[in-house]
Amino acid sequence: MPLVAPVPALDALRQPKDRAEMFSQVREWLRSAKRDDLARAVRDLSREHRHAILRFCWQDAQGGVRAVRAKELYAWIADLPECSGLDPEVDWVEEPLDGAVADTGPVLAEDLDAVEPPPGSGLPALASLRGDARVPATEVFQCLRAWVRQQRAEGRLAEAGAELSPAYRARVFAFLCDFAKRKSIFRDQAREMLLRLGELGAWRSGGAFDQVAFDEAIASS
């Protein structure tokens, strides 16, 4: 048996056929790497591969029978310098920034012009979407809902989305996915908004869309 267990394949991490089995493989690799030199094992992977492992652990840590164990695994690697700048809440984007030389692989949506929405747009700040600000989630949702309604009425919902950074759109999707799974009188409206935005290519582009999180939010009861 090798000192360090085989690392799960990148494609399998992104689209596991059996999530429980994939979790076992990730845990075995992390445990064996931790016994040897976890930082070195992570450093030997591409940044894209590191992100896939980080994201897999983060997703399982959000809830379910494996949440406690997944949080432990996530904690082992999240603070490593080798994982600096990797955001598990955002999909990996397959294209580099315009004019940039991609010598470390593709970039994350979080790295793509992560700017606030235009002043006076009526959209909530990034901090509010992340939950960092002291603004109730229902208030943030109502703000988003009013903005979407206005853009739809003006016939420019797709165009308005294209004017926002991929990082901001990713945060909008992440917020709505989380909000749609909460026990709230607005959960049906949140799912409706998710479906509306999710069908627009301008909103999904740039790695802003997480199909797994979207499907889970829509299917939640």
Side-chain angles (χ1 to χ4, degrees):
M1 179 178 180
L3 186 60
V4 177
V7 61
L10 179 59
D11 289 343
L13 282 163
R14 285 175 169 169
Q15 295 182 318
K17 295 180 179 179
D18 184 328
R19 197 165 187 92
E21 174 60 27
M22 178 54 63
F23 180 84
S24 296
Q25 293 180 29
V26 171
R27 181 177 57 179
E28 179 60 27
W29 178 76
L30 283 171
R31 281 179 171 176
S32 61
K34 192 170 184 285
R35 287 193 295 266
D36 183 35
D37 187 337
L38 181 58
R40 184 179 64 185
V42 172
R43 191 162 52 246
D44 288 342
L45 302 174
S46 68
R47 283 180 62 79
E48 185 178 7
H49 209 149
R50 297 173 206 172
H51 175 262
I53 293 173
L54 196 68
R55 182 165 173 75
F56 181 89
C57 292
W58 177 83
Q59 288 176 328
D60 272 23
Q62 301 312 297
V65 295
R66 296 184 295 274
V68 174
R69 289 172 292 169
K71 287 177 182 178
E72 180 183 16
L73 300 183
Y74 177 77
W76 288 354
I77 57 176
D79 293 329
L80 289 175
E82 291 77 10
C83 293
S84 176
L86 300 180
D87 188 344
E89 300 182 34
V90 182
D91 268 337
W92 188 263
V93 182
E94 295 300 335
E95 67 275 4
L97 290 168
D98 292 339
V101 178
D103 56 356
T104 57
V107 296
L108 287 171
E110 185 69 10
D111 300 323
L112 296 174
D113 302 325
V115 297
E116 295 285 355
S121 65
L123 284 165
L126 276 172
S128 298
L129 291 171
R130 292 189 180 112
D132 299 338
R134 294 183 178 179
V135 181
T138 52
E139 185 175 325
V140 176
F141 174 73
Q142 293 282 40
C143 181
L144 276 173
R145 188 184 182 197
W147 183 86
V148 168
R149 281 182 167 179
Q150 179 181 345
Q151 302 309 314
R152 284 191 67 212
E154 297 175 3
R156 63 182 311 273
L157 184 56
E159 180 183 351
E163 294 170 356
L164 302 172
S165 71
Y168 187 85
R169 283 184 273 114
R171 289 297 178 182
V172 170
F173 277 123
F175 171 83
L176 290 174
C177 285
D178 176 71
F179 194 81
K181 292 186 286 187
R182 298 185 184 186
K183 292 183 178 180
S184 164
I185 60 174
F186 299 112
R187 65 190 310 176
D188 288 339
Q189 291 94 321
R191 290 196 195 98
E192 181 183 352
M193 193 185 304
L194 264 175
L195 289 168
R196 196 175 302 283
L197 298 181
E199 67 183 9
L200 298 175
W203 275 84
R204 297 166 61 104
S205 66
F209 188 74
D210 182 339
Q211 187 69 57
V212 174
F214 176 85
D215 290 344
E216 290 177 351
I218 297 302
S220 63
S221 58

